[in-house]
């Protein structure tokens, strides 16, 4: 096999029979596609997460379970020969039922992963059968045999070396003979427990598997024709970007452009695998190519917005001319596996924002245990209801750019500003209720007028 393409389909691309059929057509149209990575059908993971968090009321549990059955039945009903597939899906729904009951008594992250994994396990049974019925030589593969992770349930870390070994041994030979359909999002630890990579993790899975297989291309199929200059629901004149560099796209993904899971580009970058993002609904519209080097490198490329930010400010007079304070702070955060996003410092204080991407969702909180430990060192203040705006581009050290950016923002309070570590982004925190206006104003002044 000289060319091997991995195609990943998100929840909306496998939401129902029509969506799955369009996705199958996308696979047919690229003869290099040997591996298909699928998300759960749209909406399914949210329902499973609700169950996993522990639903006490039996009535509500049953309601969710029937919704889950309905979503999958609607597709099964349109298959020509659904019998075996339906049996597999119903068996998984039985598992969901008993795990949901267990979670209503005592929820745990381990149980959550086991439960939510059923979404991808079900969708891939159906997608495999649908592709077979279209005449594609398809086989389903349980990715837990390859995607080895640690046991950090809810946001497991992949073991890249093991994944590569297992992918070469177990997956690559299958890809020679079949189009292999497998699950995104899920993996397993050394003890065989099911793990997940965090919400939206299927993109990351696809990239990890592509890396392990030494694939020549990775396609991420979703419901928008590529990466936009910003969210078109906020700024209607936002436009798709035909080509973008890995560096810019990583910043975007990282800073909230929901189109890609933030870690997706890490494996792609390591192995220099070009990534295409497009819409399985309208593949003819093209999409965005993410490459090592893009041909153009404009000053401003895109604007990303991430809400639900939690900002923590730590103050200590002891920090004045002292050393080791930050090291102590980060030691505490690292010990509790708290991931930090933005950071700014002054002589006696440091502010940082918390990152939250694990499977159970919600706004990030500073756990009480962490707070108490930090309070032994300094004062701790926590603020919520903030949004992070990231302006992505190139050579942002260019003279005059800051004036251009900040003069458009004269009417807004900026809570925190970060620039310097990378010349690809400038980001700041604003009040949640200003966030959309900030994006609209920046898009208008920096993008619509320039283009
Ligand atoms: N199904 C998972 C989620 O909704 C993973 C994914 O779709 O990427 O988060
Ligand atoms: Mg997604």
């Amino acid at each position: 096999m000289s060319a091997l393409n991995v195609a990943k389909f998100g929840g909306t691309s496998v939401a129902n029979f029509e969506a799955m059929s369009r996705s199958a057509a996308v696979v047919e149209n690229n003869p290099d596609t040997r591996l298909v990575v699928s998300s759960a059908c749209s909406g399914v993971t949210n329902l499973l997460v609700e169950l996993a968090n522990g639903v006490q009321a039996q009535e509500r549990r049953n309601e969710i379970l029937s919704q889950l059955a309905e979503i999958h039945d609607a597709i099964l009903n349109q298959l020509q020969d659904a019998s075996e597939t339906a049996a597999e899906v119903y068996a998984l729904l039985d598992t969901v039922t008993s795990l949901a009951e267990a979670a209503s008594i005592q929820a745990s992250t381990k149980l959550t992963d086991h439960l939510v994994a059923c979404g991808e396990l079900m969708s891939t049974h159906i997608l495999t059968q649908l592709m077979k019925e279209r005449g594609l030589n398809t086989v389903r593969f349980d990715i837990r045999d390859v995607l080895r992770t640690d046991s950090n349930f809810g946001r497991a870390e992949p073991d890249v070396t093991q994944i590569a070994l297992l992918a070469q041994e177990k997956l690559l030979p299958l890809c020679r003979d079949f189009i292999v359909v497998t699950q995104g999002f899920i993996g397993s630890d050394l003890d065989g427990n099911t793990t997940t990579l965090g919400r939206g993790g299927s993109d990351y899975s696809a990239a990890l598997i592509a890396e392990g297989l030494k694939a020549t291309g990775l396609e991420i199929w979703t419901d928008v024709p590529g990466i936009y200059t910003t969210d078109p629901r906020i700024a209607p004149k936002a436009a798709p970007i035909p080509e973008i560099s890995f560096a810019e796209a990583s910043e975007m993904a990282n800073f909230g452009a929901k189109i890609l899971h933030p870690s997706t580009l890490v494996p792609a970058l390591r192995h220099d695998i070009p990534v295409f993002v497009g819409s399985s609904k309208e593949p003819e519209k093209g999409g965005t190519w993410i490459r090592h080097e893009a041909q153009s490198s404009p000053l401003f490329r895109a604007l990303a917005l991430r809400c639900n930010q939690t900002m923590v400010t730590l103050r200590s007079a002891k920090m004045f001319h002292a050393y080791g304070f930050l090291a102590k702070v980060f030691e505490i955060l690292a010990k509790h596996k708290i991931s930090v996003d933005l950071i700014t410092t002054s002589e006696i204080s440091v502010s940082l924002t918390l990152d939250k991407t694990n499977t159970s969702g919600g706004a990030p909180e500073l756990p009480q245990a962490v707070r108490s430990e930090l309070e032994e060192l300094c004062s701790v203040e926590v603020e919520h209801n903030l949004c992070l705006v990231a302006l992505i581009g190139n050579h942002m050290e260019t003279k005059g750019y800051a004036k251009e950016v900040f003069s458009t923002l004269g009417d807004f309070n900026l809570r925190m500003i970060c620039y310097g570590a990378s010349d690809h982004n400038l980001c700041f925190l604003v009040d949640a209720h200003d966030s959309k206006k900030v994006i609209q104003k920046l898009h208008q002044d920096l993008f619509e007028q320039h283009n």
Side-chain angles (χ1 to χ4, degrees), residues 34 37 98 154 159 171 178 205 210 238 250 268 276 377 410:
R34 309 302 305 165
V37 177
S98 38
D159 180 339
L171 207 46
F178 297 95
S205 297
S250 306
F276 175 81
L377 216 61

Side-chain angles (χ1 to χ4, degrees), residues 8-11 39 199-203 220-222 258-261:
K8 180 258 166 178
F9 294 93
S39 287
R199 289 307 302 268
S202 292
D203 299 335
I220 305 281
W221 294 98
T222 169
K258 288 218 183 59
I259 193 138
L260 284 181
H261 182 280

